[in-house]
Amino acid sequence: MLQRFSAHIRQQHLFPTGQQVLLAVSGGIDSVVLAHLMYSAGFPFAIAHCNFNLRPGDCLRDENFVRQLAAHYGVPFHLACFDTLQYASQHKLCVEDAARQLRYDFFEQLRCEHGYAAILTAHHRDDSTETFFLNLLRGTGLAGLHGILPVQGHVVRPLLPFGREEIEAYARKHCLDHVEDITNASLDYRRNQIRHQVMPLLRSLYPAADHALQQTILHLQSVEHLYGTLLASVRTQCLVTLPDGIVRLSLGSDALQSLSEPDRLQLLFELLRPYGFNAATVADILVTRQSGRVFLSATHRALLDHGVLLLTPIDSVFDVAAEPLPNISYRVEPHQPEGFDPRRLPAGTAVFDADTVTLPISLRHWQQADRFQPLGMEHCTQLLSDYFTDHKFSIRDKQRQLLLVDATGAILWIVGCRTDHPHRVTPGTRYLLTVVVA
């Protein structure tokens, strides 16, 4: 087993073999065997242990055992003690998820502080099979069926080629002491139910079940890799990041519309999953046609705008009130009709009949009931919402659009777009009011 272990690490380049790595050691048989293999193979390592204070007496026993193990191998020892129940309550997590989060945060902190090349855990082939069944029953999709990956970021699992029986046999051969977590035998946990009930039944029905399942998991890993490669290509076609950081996704893109409804749902789910959206919300997005509808995930906000989704992080959702308004400058001067051409005004500049405008003037954003009499419309006004629709303003464009108003509240100018009719310059205009917004 030692030769296969060393060869596997080197052939798969799991971690730089000349650099020190961090071993997560609970004191159980799997992590004890991993430590012995690493020591016997001559790989430099340190040991980290977490005391979660969940089993009075046993936790202290485990801590002392691992401390002595590190001393026996003459390697650095790191310890963290957690109030796991309190952390779980504060963060609204189950105890298992809280413990997982605490230990991996601790390991990553040690990796950064001490420069360890990788974090090694003792997950093995049977753990991967159990994870496969747990995710299969949860309906997590393809991504959950690849079992436990050998490398995820800085976390490495060098025991994945080995099963529980091999590990136990190695421990017996080398007379390795370990501590036993009494919860490993409890059927209160679904993983243990699979370990002690489902797998023995499968092995009795299909003696080659372990090998067959491992091959299936490897095939699924390859399929997921291929799927991810193809999905990355589709993602570049469908998702566009705008200059302000907002992500734009067109629901009418060819990549989506060319698919059947189930496939369209699956593809949209894959595109939106990195932004925290679940399958139910994605299905709702597909059937919704109401522009202005907002969908929320734990991390992002999706605004539906005429068949386009605009994705923004929740902590940076666009807020027009938070944006500073541009500066306004103006001047009043006699009107000289000769040579005056309003079509040649610089960008951000508009001209009005000064005698018709009540000063001071100011800028504000659009409001729902605003009305406006566009230049050239002599006898009636128009809702700004209708103007925006006619000119294909997006919801975000409407929110950001500035209006120039005078002291009476009259809308003089949809800034950058259209001035109004009543305050236009005519042959009878005596004085020009030239306004610059910048």
Side-chain angles (χ1 to χ4, degrees):
M1 182 174 175
L2 176 60
Q3 291 181 342
R4 289 168 56 206
F5 175 79
S6 299
H8 173 64
I9 289 173
R10 290 188 168 92
Q11 290 171 3
Q12 300 300 318
H13 306 288
L14 296 184
F15 56 84
T17 54
Q19 298 181 31
Q20 193 174 43
V21 296
L22 181 67
L23 265 62
V25 179
S26 66
I29 189 171
D30 303 332
S31 58
V32 166
V33 166
L34 175 60
H36 190 272
L37 286 167
M38 290 290 291
Y39 180 78
S40 302
F43 297 134
F45 65 93
I47 285 178
H49 177 75
C50 297
N51 183 337
F52 295 108
N53 289 297
L54 293 173
R55 295 174 286 114
D58 286 350
C59 286
L60 185 58
R61 176 206 64 181
D62 298 353
E63 175 188 320
N64 290 331
F65 175 85
V66 178
R67 188 191 303 274
Q68 293 171 12
L69 187 70
H72 172 72
Y73 290 131
V75 300
F77 174 69
H78 304 283
L79 173 70
C81 295
F82 301 113
D83 187 339
T84 309
L85 294 177
Q86 182 181 20
Y87 183 88
S89 176
Q90 289 175 344
H91 293 81
K92 296 180 174 57
L93 297 169
C94 71
V95 174
E96 289 177 283
D97 288 342
R100 184 182 302 108
Q101 194 172 103
L102 285 168
R103 68 173 172 265
Y104 280 110
D105 286 349
F106 173 55
F107 298 154
E108 178 62 16
Q109 178 185 343
L110 291 175
R111 188 193 68 80
C112 294
E113 289 179 358
H114 298 274
Y116 295 124
I119 300 163
L120 272 60
T121 68
H123 294 96
H124 51 76
R125 186 175 62 213
D126 292 48
D127 292 322
S128 184
T129 301
E130 292 159 11
T131 299
F132 167 82
F133 278 109
L134 284 171
N135 290 336
L136 178 68
L137 297 173
R138 288 171 181 156
T140 55
L142 183 61
L145 299 182
H146 55 44
I148 299 174
L149 295 176
V151 179
Q152 281 184 295
H154 296 290
V155 179
V156 177
R157 287 98 176 196
L159 288 184
L160 281 182
F162 307 96
R164 183 172 285 109
E165 288 187 359
E166 292 177 277
I167 291 170
E168 291 174 351
Y170 183 91
R172 288 193 299 270
K173 177 180 177 180
H174 294 275
C175 302
L176 300 180
D177 291 330
H178 66 279
V179 293
E180 193 67 45
D181 185 344
I182 60 173
T183 62
N184 286 338
S186 171
L187 295 180
D188 292 337
Y189 301 96
R190 290 187 177 178
R191 182 176 289 276
N192 288 350
Q193 293 168 2
I194 292 172
R195 178 180 304 169
H196 299 301
Q197 295 180 320
V198 175
M199 289 309 300
L201 177 60
L202 283 177
R203 289 172 183 134
S204 69
L205 296 173
Y206 305 97
D210 289 287
H211 176 74
L213 285 168
Q214 188 61 24
Q215 290 303 306
T216 297
I217 288 172
L218 292 174
H219 290 321
L220 288 170
Q221 288 178 5
S222 298
V223 170
E224 187 194 12
H225 178 73
L226 176 60
Y227 182 65
T229 301
L230 296 174
L231 186 63
S233 175
V234 174
R235 186 174 281 114
T236 60
Q237 299 174 38
C238 295
L239 295 174
V240 177
T241 301
L242 302 177
D244 55 6
I246 292 176
V247 177
R248 182 182 186 276
L249 168 59
S250 174
L251 299 180
S253 65
D254 291 341
L256 284 168
Q257 292 303 314
S258 62
L259 301 175
S260 65
E261 186 173 340
D263 290 346
R264 190 182 308 128
L265 175 61
Q266 181 63 33
L267 178 57
L268 186 60
F269 170 66
E270 294 291 355
L271 293 174
L272 293 178
R273 186 171 57 172
Y275 303 97
F277 292 94
N278 59 33
T281 304
V282 172
D284 197 14
I285 290 172
L286 270 182
V287 301
T288 299
R289 295 290 183 266
Q290 180 185 352
S291 192
R293 176 85 180 272
V294 173
F295 304 88
L296 297 176
S297 74
T299 59
H300 282 74
R301 173 182 186 266
L303 172 66
L304 184 59
D305 182 14
H306 297 92
V308 172
L309 275 181
L310 300 173
L311 302 164
T312 52
I314 284 178
D315 59 1
S316 63
V317 171
F318 175 72
D319 181 6
V320 294
E323 284 198 345
L325 294 174
N327 294 320
I328 305 176
S329 61
Y330 67 88
R331 65 180 182 274
V332 177
E333 56 193 353
H335 178 210
Q336 298 177 348
E338 300 82 7
F340 174 74
D341 187 352
R343 295 171 298 181
R344 296 187 178 182
L345 293 173
T349 304
V351 177
F352 307 95
D353 185 328
D355 289 330
T356 65
V357 177
T358 304
L359 298 175
I361 54 177
S362 60
L363 292 172
R364 68 170 174 83
H365 288 98
W366 165 69
Q367 297 170 3
Q368 188 65 44
D370 280 339
R371 281 191 164 278
F372 174 68
Q373 187 174 347
L375 183 64
M377 188 177 288
E378 297 188 10
H379 304 295
C380 61
T381 61
Q382 182 182 31
L383 282 169
L384 253 65
S385 58
D386 292 338
Y387 176 89
F388 291 149
T389 298
D390 292 344
H391 290 80
K392 295 182 170 52
F393 275 52
S394 70
I395 291 174
R396 287 185 60 255
D397 290 338
K398 288 189 240 180
Q399 291 175 328
R400 303 185 77 148
Q401 181 60 55
L402 292 172
L403 306 177
L404 181 72
V405 298
D406 73 358
T408 69
I411 298 173
L412 309 177
W413 185 23
I414 303 174
V415 176
C417 298
R418 188 86 167 262
T419 54
D420 78 329
H421 192 80
H423 302 86
R424 71 193 185 284
V425 175
T426 68
T429 296
R430 298 185 308 141
Y431 294 96
L432 299 179
L433 173 67
T434 304
V435 180
V436 178
V437 175

